Amino acid sequence: MSVAEPRTIVLFRHAKADWPQVTDHERPLADRGRKDAAEAGRRLADTGIPFDLALCSTAVRTRETWKLAVHEFPHRPKTVYEERIYEASPGELIAVLNETPDDVQNLLLIGHNPGVQGLADILSGEAEDDARERMDRRGFPAAAFAVLSFAGSWKSVEPGVAALRDYWAPAE
């Protein structure tokens, strides 16, 4: 693929987690989280984006979110479980994205707040329709996702490079 063709990054926050007596990394999804993860998967499938790669945090709640969401996809992308996504800042997430091979056109990152929301905010230099307004109003609740696009190589991902194309969050 040419680096001039638009690329897509979907930033997907894990679904609602439970709070049992385990470490933060081991927290599973709550019942509502399991429902919302499947709904987010249906919404992601409805975008028609053919994902080439999914980068998922190693935390239990992100892995469970991904397992439930990807079940709704017509095609399962290659999945890499990446420890650096857990508790990552937006800058650390950009560093992970910068390592993406250039044959990947459409990437899905399943992670955590505040990093995922911060990354959506700083990457999106412009927005379509009311996507920014909806994201600013709702924040980035559990199971929300933002669809961004940019032109260039993955090494060129930096603040302001992308356009926010869509945003979705489950109903409260």
Side-chain angles (χ1 to χ4, degrees):
M1 96 160 267
S2 161
V3 294
E5 292 181 53
R7 297 179 191 276
T8 303
I9 305 170
V10 173
L11 302 173
F12 182 18
R13 183 179 176 199
H14 66 79
K16 184 165 182 58
D18 204 355
W19 288 93
Q21 294 297 321
V22 296
T23 66
D24 183 69
H25 192 271
E26 301 305 312
R27 289 176 48 217
L29 290 181
D31 290 342
R32 178 175 161 204
R34 286 188 283 281
K35 178 180 128 329
D36 289 348
E39 175 66 14
R42 286 188 289 279
R43 297 294 183 126
L44 283 165
D46 288 348
T47 67
I49 299 168
F51 293 104
D52 303 305
L53 178 63
L55 297 176
C56 184
S57 164
T58 56
V60 169
R61 60 193 177 273
T62 51
R63 293 191 328 253
E64 288 181 350
T65 297
W66 177 231
K67 180 180 178 183
L68 291 165
V70 76
H71 182 72
E72 303 294 331
F73 287 26
H75 161 75
R76 183 184 184 99
K78 176 182 177 186
T79 301
V80 174
Y81 295 96
E82 175 57 64
E83 292 177 358
R84 294 177 296 166
I85 296 173
Y86 178 68
E87 295 188 333
S89 69
E92 292 165 329
L93 293 172
I94 288 173
V96 170
L97 293 174
N98 288 157
E99 296 173 7
T100 303
D102 276 330
D103 62 344
V104 172
Q105 182 176 0
N106 302 309
L107 181 141
L108 177 65
L109 185 144
I110 307 99
H112 310 266
N113 259 4
V116 170
Q117 180 175 2
L119 185 59
D121 286 338
I122 68 170
L123 287 184
S124 52
E126 60 183 69
E128 286 187 3
D129 303 322
D130 65 343
R132 166 93 61 205
E133 177 190 321
R134 288 183 290 124
M135 189 170 79
D136 289 347
R137 184 177 64 245
R138 294 284 314 274
F140 225 90
F145 65 82
V147 180
L148 301 106
S149 67
F150 73 100
S153 73
W154 290 100
K155 289 176 181 49
S156 72
V157 172
E158 61 183 32
V161 75
L164 178 63
R165 300 286 181 220
D166 198 6
Y167 166 82
W168 180 84
E172 293 290 329

